[in-house]
Amino acid sequence: MESAEKLEMLEPKQPTEDVKKWQEKVLSYHHLVRRWTSYFWKINKAYLYSYEDLEQTIWYILMVGLQEFDGRGDEEQFLNWYIRNKIVSVIMYGKKPPKCVHLPFTPIRFDYLSPDDLAEVNELFYSDLDGE
């Protein structure tokens, strides 16, 4: 391979115009993400991993909401409603974020449970001791 070809392979690919437009559109709703993250952090921080995890979850919900918006009505009002309802479902009802199927995530903190405290785990690991 010639050095020019190697150099070309190492250069980062420029985002297409569609990707740039999408990024600009998503980032234009930064104020919604900041508002909802602050609001839900203030009332639920004892149950959440971190402010950053909550913020990332809300960014994800915003992007799904942008894809779901069908053009009827005001986009920002729809996103406001969508983010609020979806994050309430995630935090209060333990639902998965929308369209999150294969690798679900959550900003909710789960208390640590020692395997010693869990009878089923003890039975699984120590079942061979029953015969002695």
Side-chain angles (χ1 to χ4, degrees):
M1 216 184 279
E2 294 184 17
S3 61
E5 288 178 31
K6 287 181 185 177
L7 183 61
E8 189 175 300
M9 288 175 53
L10 296 176
E11 290 180 22
K13 297 192 185 291
Q14 294 296 320
T16 64
E17 199 61 35
D18 290 339
V19 172
K20 286 182 184 179
K21 286 179 183 177
W22 173 251
Q23 288 173 340
E24 289 172 7
K25 186 171 192 169
V26 169
L27 292 175
S28 72
Y29 289 109
H30 182 265
H31 62 284
L32 286 180
V33 173
R34 187 176 48 231
R35 178 178 36 180
W36 285 116
T37 304
S38 296
Y39 175 78
F40 283 109
W41 178 252
K42 285 178 187 172
I43 61 175
N44 295 298
K45 64 182 162 189
Y47 305 106
L48 302 171
Y49 280 119
S50 68
Y51 185 89
E52 291 77 18
D53 285 338
L54 176 62
E55 184 178 32
Q56 288 177 11
T57 303
I58 293 175
W59 276 113
Y60 171 79
I61 291 171
L62 169 79
M63 289 186 279
V64 173
L66 280 169
Q67 291 176 335
E68 293 286 317
F69 183 65
D70 61 5
R72 293 180 294 170
D74 183 59
E75 185 176 67
E76 185 167 341
Q77 287 179 354
F78 171 79
L79 291 172
N80 214 4
W81 170 85
Y82 191 83
I83 291 169
R84 183 186 151 283
N85 287 326
K86 296 302 179 182
I87 202 68
V88 163
S89 293
V90 169
I91 292 174
M92 301 303 291
Y93 303 112
K95 302 284 185 185
K96 296 177 192 172
K99 299 193 182 225
C100 188
V101 179
H102 299 294
L103 298 172
F105 61 92
T106 181
I108 306 276
R109 177 176 40 191
F110 295 101
D111 292 334
Y112 173 75
L113 183 62
S114 169
D116 294 333
D117 298 332
L118 194 58
E120 295 85 17
V121 173
N122 284 335
E123 288 175 15
L124 178 68
F125 286 108
Y126 304 115
S127 62
D128 59 338
L129 298 177
D130 293 335
E132 291 181 14

